[in-house]
Amino acid sequence: DGDGTILTSNSSVGKILQCKYAIKNDTSSATGTTHTEISSDFRITLTPTSASSLIEIEFDVQHGMSTDYVVTFIIYKSSSTDMSSPSFIQTPSSTAHYGDGNATIYTNARFSMHTTIKVLELAGNTNTRTYSPFWARSGGTSYLNAYNSSYDYQGTSNITVKEIAV
């Protein structure tokens, strides 16, 4: 439309049909180059009300890394609430490497930072699905909601899943 009138108070386009979230404020750590689920506490199960809805998944994570390694985040979905047989939502052009995902962070020293990962998908159907963030690293240890193994400089992380009318 271009003139800004499409989103009026009477419009159903852009309306949030449902929103679910999870917050995590405790700490954990992980090692390994295989994508693993960060925490089952982040699993969000959603049943879209329309096949034409846009699903927005936003993951805000506070994380640290023990040394100068790469950490990769990816949002997976599964038709099962236990996240068995998960699949990519927004697939990168390559999925052959631990570093392929929705966000990749590298620094040349250990670090602590906050990262936001947002992925989108068209619902395509009204089947129930579960979303959850996964991570991998090139080496070392990743820390959730903390800077290091002493769990210093703690923070919080959260995930939000929204169904939006398009």
Side-chain angles (χ1 to χ4, degrees):
D1 186 28
D3 66 4
T5 59
I6 193 168
L7 296 177
T8 66
S9 60
N10 299 341
S11 176
S12 63
V13 175
K15 180 179 180 182
I16 296 175
L17 302 173
Q18 57 180 316
C19 179
K20 296 185 174 191
Y21 69 93
I23 298 168
K24 189 159 179 61
N25 60 8
D26 59 340
T27 58
S28 64
S29 63
T31 59
T33 59
T34 302
H35 282 107
T36 57
E37 188 174 29
I38 295 173
S39 172
S40 61
D41 294 343
F42 285 128
R43 290 181 190 166
I44 301 288
T45 300
L46 182 85
T47 304
T49 59
S50 171
S52 62
S53 291
L54 178 68
I55 308 298
E56 175 185 277
I57 305 95
E58 185 171 301
F59 179 52
D60 294 305
V61 61
Q62 176 67 36
H63 60 101
M65 195 69 187
S66 61
T67 53
D68 60 338
Y69 291 108
V70 175
V71 62
T72 301
F73 295 96
I74 190 163
I75 306 296
Y76 278 119
K77 76 172 179 179
S78 177
S79 60
S80 173
T81 57
D82 67 1
M83 290 305 293
S84 57
S85 302
S87 62
F88 282 94
I89 297 169
Q90 285 182 316
T91 307
S93 61
S94 170
T95 59
H97 189 266
Y98 70 86
D100 301 324
N102 300 121
T104 302
I105 293 97
Y106 171 77
T107 66
N108 62 0
R110 58 193 228 173
F111 63 87
S112 178
M113 67 175 57
H114 187 89
T115 303
T116 299
I117 297 100
K118 184 186 290 189
V119 295
L120 304 170
E121 74 167 344
L122 288 175
N125 57 53
T126 57
N127 298 341
T128 300
R129 70 279 314 263
T130 300
Y131 300 98
S132 189
F134 284 59
W135 59 358
R137 68 241 18 96
S138 59
T141 304
S142 295
Y143 299 95
L144 176 67
N145 293 334
Y147 170 59
N148 58 23
S149 60
S150 298
Y151 297 108
D152 296 326
Y153 309 108
Q154 293 186 15
T156 62
S157 299
N158 65 75
I159 186 170
T160 307
V161 178
K162 298 174 189 171
E163 179 185 7
I164 303 168
V166 293

